[in-house]
Short mmCIF file of all heavy atoms in Angstrom, two decimals:
data_model
loop_
_atom_site.label_atom_id
_atom_site.label_comp_id
_atom_site.label_asym_id
_atom_site.label_seq_id
_atom_site.Cartn_x
_atom_site.Cartn_y
_atom_site.Cartn_z
N GLU A 199 9.15 4.19 14.55
CA GLU A 199 10.25 4.31 13.59
C GLU A 199 10.10 3.31 12.44
O GLU A 199 10.96 2.46 12.19
CB GLU A 199 11.60 4.11 14.30
CG GLU A 199 11.86 5.18 15.35
CD GLU A 199 13.22 5.00 16.02
OE1 GLU A 199 13.82 3.91 15.90
OE2 GLU A 199 13.70 5.96 16.65
N HIS A 200 8.98 3.41 11.76
CA HIS A 200 8.71 2.54 10.63
C HIS A 200 8.52 3.39 9.37
O HIS A 200 8.80 4.60 9.40
CB HIS A 200 7.46 1.68 10.92
CG HIS A 200 7.40 0.41 10.13
ND1 HIS A 200 8.29 -0.62 10.29
CD2 HIS A 200 6.55 0.01 9.15
CE1 HIS A 200 7.99 -1.60 9.47
NE2 HIS A 200 6.93 -1.23 8.75
N ASN A 201 8.03 2.78 8.29
CA ASN A 201 7.83 3.51 7.04
C ASN A 201 6.43 3.28 6.50
O ASN A 201 6.24 2.97 5.33
CB ASN A 201 8.87 3.09 5.99
CG ASN A 201 8.80 3.94 4.73
OD1 ASN A 201 8.45 5.11 4.76
ND2 ASN A 201 9.12 3.33 3.59
N TRP A 202 5.43 3.42 7.38
CA TRP A 202 4.06 3.25 6.94
C TRP A 202 3.64 4.35 5.99
O TRP A 202 4.02 5.52 6.14
CB TRP A 202 3.11 3.22 8.14
CG TRP A 202 3.17 1.91 8.89
CD1 TRP A 202 2.85 0.68 8.42
CD2 TRP A 202 3.60 1.71 10.23
NE1 TRP A 202 3.05 -0.29 9.38
CE2 TRP A 202 3.50 0.33 10.51
CE3 TRP A 202 4.04 2.57 11.24
CZ2 TRP A 202 3.83 -0.21 11.75
CZ3 TRP A 202 4.37 2.03 12.47
CH2 TRP A 202 4.26 0.66 12.72
N PHE A 203 2.83 3.97 5.01
CA PHE A 203 2.34 4.86 3.95
C PHE A 203 3.50 5.52 3.21
O PHE A 203 3.35 6.53 2.57
CB PHE A 203 1.38 5.93 4.51
CG PHE A 203 0.48 6.52 3.48
CD1 PHE A 203 -0.02 5.77 2.42
CD2 PHE A 203 0.11 7.85 3.56
CE1 PHE A 203 -0.86 6.33 1.47
CE2 PHE A 203 -0.73 8.43 2.60
CZ PHE A 203 -1.22 7.67 1.56
N PHE A 204 4.67 4.92 3.33
CA PHE A 204 5.88 5.38 2.62
C PHE A 204 6.14 6.88 2.84
O PHE A 204 6.39 7.62 1.89
CB PHE A 204 5.75 5.06 1.13
CG PHE A 204 5.41 3.62 0.88
CD1 PHE A 204 4.15 3.25 0.43
CD2 PHE A 204 6.35 2.62 1.14
CE1 PHE A 204 3.84 1.91 0.23
CE2 PHE A 204 6.04 1.28 0.93
CZ PHE A 204 4.78 0.93 0.47
N LEU A 205 6.10 7.27 4.12
CA LEU A 205 6.34 8.67 4.47
C LEU A 205 7.78 8.92 4.92
O LEU A 205 8.18 10.07 5.13
CB LEU A 205 5.38 9.10 5.59
CG LEU A 205 3.89 9.04 5.26
CD1 LEU A 205 3.06 9.42 6.48
CD2 LEU A 205 3.55 9.94 4.08
N GLU A 206 8.56 7.84 5.07
CA GLU A 206 9.95 7.98 5.47
C GLU A 206 10.90 7.78 4.28
O GLU A 206 12.01 8.30 4.27
CB GLU A 206 10.29 6.96 6.57
CG GLU A 206 9.36 7.03 7.77
CD GLU A 206 9.39 8.39 8.46
OE1 GLU A 206 10.51 8.86 8.80
OE2 GLU A 206 8.31 8.97 8.68
N GLU A 207 10.47 6.97 3.33
CA GLU A 207 11.24 6.72 2.12
C GLU A 207 10.26 6.37 1.01
O GLU A 207 9.14 5.94 1.28
CB GLU A 207 12.24 5.58 2.35
CG GLU A 207 13.18 5.29 1.16
CD GLU A 207 13.96 6.52 0.68
OE1 GLU A 207 15.05 6.78 1.20
OE2 GLU A 207 13.43 7.22 -0.21
N ASP A 208 10.65 6.60 -0.24
CA ASP A 208 9.73 6.41 -1.35
C ASP A 208 9.25 4.96 -1.44
O ASP A 208 9.90 4.03 -0.94
CB ASP A 208 10.40 6.80 -2.67
CG ASP A 208 11.61 5.92 -2.99
OD1 ASP A 208 12.71 6.23 -2.49
OD2 ASP A 208 11.42 4.93 -3.72
N ALA A 209 8.10 4.76 -2.06
CA ALA A 209 7.45 3.45 -2.11
C ALA A 209 8.28 2.40 -2.83
O ALA A 209 8.15 1.20 -2.56
CB ALA A 209 6.08 3.58 -2.79
N PHE A 210 9.14 2.81 -3.76
CA PHE A 210 9.96 1.85 -4.50
C PHE A 210 11.34 1.64 -3.88
O PHE A 210 12.16 0.90 -4.40
CB PHE A 210 10.11 2.32 -5.95
CG PHE A 210 8.79 2.39 -6.69
CD1 PHE A 210 8.17 3.61 -6.91
CD2 PHE A 210 8.18 1.24 -7.14
CE1 PHE A 210 6.97 3.67 -7.59
CE2 PHE A 210 6.97 1.29 -7.81
CZ PHE A 210 6.36 2.51 -8.03
N TYR A 211 11.58 2.33 -2.76
CA TYR A 211 12.85 2.22 -2.03
C TYR A 211 14.06 2.41 -2.95
O TYR A 211 15.03 1.65 -2.91
CB TYR A 211 12.94 0.86 -1.32
CG TYR A 211 11.98 0.73 -0.16
CD1 TYR A 211 10.75 0.11 -0.31
CD2 TYR A 211 12.30 1.25 1.09
CE1 TYR A 211 9.85 0.00 0.74
CE2 TYR A 211 11.42 1.14 2.16
CZ TYR A 211 10.20 0.51 1.98
OH TYR A 211 9.33 0.40 3.02
#
Side-chain angles (χ1 to χ4, degrees):
E199 298 182 344
H200 204 66
N201 186 31
W202 285 297
F203 201 35
F204 308 108
L205 298 177
E206 306 299 308
E207 184 55 89
D208 63 275
F210 297 103
Y211 290 97

